[in-house]
Amino acid sequence: MQFDPNNLEQSSIYKLLTGIITPRPIGWISTISEDGTNNLAPFSYFNMVSSDPPCVMFSTRRDNNTNKDTLNNVLATNQFVVNMVTKEVVEQMNQTAATVTSDVDEFELASLTPIESSVIKPMRVKESLVHLECEKIHHYFIKDKEGNETACVVIGQIRILHIADEILDENFKINLDKYNPVARLAGSNYGTIGEIFSIKRA
C-alpha cells in the first residue's frame, strides 16, 4: 500500500506512524512552573540527537492551539529533567499522562518522590534510575497546511547525568538486564528490550 499524507485523516497518519516507528523511548519530562508547581508528563516523541554536546529532544502536541503545561514551563524557565522509564515505574508513568489542570502536581498524583536536581530547578523522580538535567537550547513550532502550530520540538543540552550505580558496569556501559527500560509501541502497548543480538558494524 502507498499513502499520501495529504489524503489521509490525521488520526490515520498517527496510527500508521506510531505503529511503524517503534519501539520509541519514553522521555518522562519533569518541569516546574514560574510559581513553583511541579509538573511531570511522559513523551514518546523523544530521543537523543547529539553526544557532543550531549543533547536530547522531545516533541509535544498542541491541541486546540494550546500548549501543554510541560511546554509552557520549558519556554518560561528553559529547564527540564528527563527521567527514564523502567518496568518498575511504568504504571506510575501512565498516571502522569492524565489530563489535569496546571495546578496539579503529578508527583503527588502518582505517589512519586521529588528530589532536587544538581544545577537546575525542576525536580527529579527518585524512583527513576536515570535523570538527565537539561537546559533548552532550541525550540521550534511545526505548522499544518493551514498554518496552525500543531506541535513543538524542544532540544535540550544535558548539563548533568544521574545514573543509578546498580545499572552501571565498567567502562561506562549500561547493564540492560538491570536497567529494564520500557518503550512505547502503538495504542496502549508498551515493550521491554526482549531478545538482544549483535552485528559487527560494517
Side-chain angles (χ1 to χ4, degrees):
M1 296 283 290
Q2 176 174 292
F3 300 99
D4 182 344
N6 293 312
N7 298 326
L8 289 176
E9 294 290 333
Q10 196 282 326
S11 60
S12 300
I13 298 172
Y14 174 81
K15 289 178 185 178
L16 289 171
L17 291 179
T18 57
I20 60 178
I21 302 176
T22 60
R24 299 187 305 281
I26 303 167
W28 205 7
I29 309 296
S30 54
T31 59
I32 192 167
S33 68
E34 289 184 292
D35 67 6
T37 302
N38 291 324
N39 180 265
L40 180 63
F43 294 86
S44 68
Y45 294 0
F46 162 78
N47 220 311
M48 62 177 287
V49 292
S50 170
S51 58
D52 184 19
C55 294
V56 293
M57 64 73 61
F58 74 93
S59 176
T60 173
R61 292 195 331 263
R62 298 185 74 253
D63 297 325
N64 300 315
N65 202 35
T66 302
N67 292 343
K68 291 183 178 292
D69 294 334
T70 298
L71 180 58
N72 281 333
N73 292 345
V74 171
L75 294 180
T77 68
N78 293 318
Q79 297 180 340
F80 63 94
V81 178
V82 178
N83 307 274
M84 298 304 294
V85 178
T86 60
K87 194 171 183 181
E88 289 73 22
V89 295
V90 70
E91 292 289 347
Q92 289 165 294
M93 177 277 297
N94 189 48
Q95 292 179 47
T96 65
T99 301
V100 295
T101 56
S102 59
D103 61 340
V104 173
D105 183 333
E106 285 87 355
F107 282 88
E108 295 180 3
L109 180 69
S111 299
L112 293 162
T113 310
I115 56 175
E116 290 186 354
S117 294
S118 297
V119 298
I120 62 175
K121 289 184 178 180
M123 294 292 192
R124 297 179 284 139
V125 177
K126 182 178 180 180
E127 291 78 6
S128 178
L129 297 176
V130 176
H131 316 116
L132 310 175
E133 297 186 28
C134 300
E135 292 187 349
K136 178 182 73 68
I137 58 172
H138 186 56
H139 76 279
Y140 60 93
F141 289 93
I142 295 174
K143 299 180 180 181
D144 64 15
K145 53 190 175 184
E146 281 80 36
N148 301 306
E149 294 176 340
T150 57
C152 184
V153 177
V154 175
I155 297 176
Q157 184 169 339
I158 301 170
R159 299 303 185 186
I160 298 289
L161 297 89
H162 301 266
I163 302 173
D165 292 345
E166 61 263 34
I167 68 169
L168 191 59
D169 287 343
E170 293 181 358
N171 198 27
F172 302 99
K173 293 183 179 179
I174 302 298
N175 187 312
L176 290 175
D177 291 330
K178 295 179 180 178
Y179 183 18
N180 205 12
V182 168
R184 190 75 167 89
L185 306 177
S188 300
N189 297 317
Y190 293 83
T192 52
I193 292 293
E195 179 186 2
I196 297 175
F197 61 92
S198 300
I199 300 176
K200 186 176 181 180
R201 185 168 180 170

